[in-house]
Amino acid sequence: MSTVLVLAELTPSGVRPATLELLTAARALGEPAAVVVGPVADDVRAALAEHGATTVYAVDAPDADRYLALPKAQALVDLAGQTSPAAILITSGTEGKDVAAKVAVRLDAGIITDAVAVASDGGTVTATQAVVAGSQHATSEFTRTPAVITMRPNATSAEAAPAAGEVQQMSVSTADAAQGGEITARTEKAASGRPELTDAAVVVAGGRGVGSEDGFGVIEQLADALGGAVGATRAVTDLSWASHDLQVGQTGKTVAPNLYVAAGVSGAIQHRAGMQSSKTIVAINKDPKAPIFAISDFGVVGDLHQVLPALIDQVKSRRG
Ligand code: FAD
């Protein structure tokens, strides 16, 4: 069976959930092998093996954290030379797409970004993307291999399928990484205590209907009551009522949580493009004709400043 290389991403608490989703998706294409740039802790190896990694490549790339995408891209290119993989899977995101593009160019391979599904008939790999602002799906066939694919977080669920997870050490030269961007300073992001927007199982998003920056506070309160992340429309981020990194949509982030609560959001096509793959959508809007209701599983017609405080009370009392 062909190897499928999966670029693993780590967080301070272990393996990023999106990596476990990639390992799950990779099993449809061949035998998953995880690629970790940096040391592999025991709990990281265990999580990768639990989700199907037959091999875990621990890549020693000196000073890799000083550079942007190149050391990771070089590791994948070197490993592709050794393992002739059917596909290389990377999580969609700014860095993931940067890595994927560099890998595809160096391998003269086909590339598809922002896939929501992958498949193989044993020979040909296909990847499906949500297109036309998420209203259609397009499935494309790779004619040049390996198939380099970035997949959106939450496009599939992570499922366990224990495998050996045998660790193999390898090293990559960072000499030519210096030709790429070098990181000269880092500023730590203020910790919100909330989950990462693109990884969260619950997202509560506020639109212009919140009325003001202070009015946006009720969105944060509901997110905290539900243990979710906060999202916003572009109207809200343009007004500086919420930070730009919370913007969901065509020119913001793409999310697909189990629960998406949209309050005071009209449901413009550019916003829907970033959230309409959510499993359950709940909308609160005072206009019964708001387009968001057309894609909602549950809707409340009403003033969000009355509905959300009542909802927060209910959530808190039920969660004890
Ligand atoms: P509005 O459209 O003004 O809607 C506010 C809603 O709140 C209304 O439906 C209203 O009935 C309701 N409301 C008002 N008061 C209350 C209340 N008290 N209680 C309950 N409901 C209330 N937008 C994005 O979100 N993400 C993007 O990535 C994005 N990219 C774009 C890219 C391009 C190229 C362009 C042209 C536009 C883009 N937009 C994007 C903007 C998009 O077209 C919309 O303008 C925007 O999504 C509207 O935001 P909104 O729903 O918050 O505001």
Side-chain angles (χ1 to χ4, degrees):
M1 199 187 267
S2 303
T3 298
V4 178
L5 297 177
V6 170
L7 180 62
E9 287 181 59
L10 308 184
T11 68
S13 54
V15 180
R16 187 179 169 195
T19 296
L20 305 179
E21 295 164 16
L22 285 188
L23 285 168
T24 306
R27 302 204 293 265
L29 309 180
E31 203 165 75
V35 182
V36 179
V37 177
V40 178
D42 286 348
D43 61 331
V44 166
R45 191 209 70 82
L48 296 170
E50 173 72 13
H51 288 81
T54 51
T55 308
V56 176
Y57 291 104
V59 182
D60 178 25
D63 294 335
D65 60 352
R66 269 179 51 209
Y67 302 105
L68 297 174
L70 271 173
K72 288 175 182 156
Q74 193 56 49
L76 290 169
V77 169
D78 286 1
L79 276 167
Q82 293 168 29
T83 60
S84 303
I88 299 175
L89 300 190
I90 300 168
T91 301
S92 277
T94 313
E95 187 190 59
K97 288 185 199 173
D98 194 2
V99 173
K102 289 177 166 63
V103 169
V105 167
R106 287 169 183 225
L107 294 176
D108 193 25
I111 178 169
I112 287 181
T113 56
D114 285 333
V116 293
V118 294
S120 169
D121 63 4
T124 308
V125 174
T126 58
T128 301
Q129 295 164 295
V131 295
V132 197
S135 62
Q136 310 276 325
H137 280 124
T139 299
S140 312
E141 197 174 282
F142 281 86
T143 52
R144 288 214 308 273
T145 55
V148 179
I149 302 169
T150 74
M151 272 194 90
R152 287 184 172 171
N154 289 318
T156 182
S157 334
E159 282 165 24
E166 184 197 329
V167 176
Q168 284 193 27
Q169 305 288 340
M170 66 169 288
S171 54
V172 164
S173 161
T174 43
D176 88 334
Q179 295 163 17
E182 182 173 348
I183 298 164
T184 54
R186 281 190 164 86
T187 309
E188 201 155 327
K189 192 175 157 190
S192 68
R194 301 187 183 109
E196 181 61 36
L197 181 55
T198 49
D199 290 340
V202 174
V203 174
V204 181
R208 203 196 314 249
V210 299
S212 65
E213 186 175 354
D214 283 349
F216 194 76
V218 74
I219 301 294
E220 296 169 332
Q221 289 162 27
L222 179 59
D224 291 341
L226 291 169
V230 171
T233 64
R234 178 156 142 182
V236 163
T237 59
D238 281 354
L239 285 161
S240 300
W241 294 350
S243 84
H244 278 283
D245 63 351
L246 299 183
Q247 184 185 317
V248 172
Q250 187 179 320
T251 45
K253 291 186 175 155
T254 301
V255 299
N258 293 331
L259 173 64
Y260 190 88
V261 181
V265 172
S266 60
I269 191 163
Q270 295 91 352
H271 185 75
R272 297 198 323 235
M275 48 65 73
Q276 65 184 6
S277 307
S278 305
K279 316 282 179 302
T280 301
I281 297 171
V282 177
I284 299 108
N285 196 302
K286 67 180 186 185
D287 175 5
K289 295 203 175 90
I292 191 75
F293 286 126
I295 57 159
S296 300
D297 300 284
F298 301 96
V300 181
V301 177
D303 183 341
L304 70 91
H305 290 296
Q306 289 172 2
V307 176
L308 293 193
L311 181 55
I312 291 165
D313 285 348
Q314 283 294 320
V315 171
K316 283 186 176 165
S317 72
R318 279 160 204 251
R319 291 196 148 193

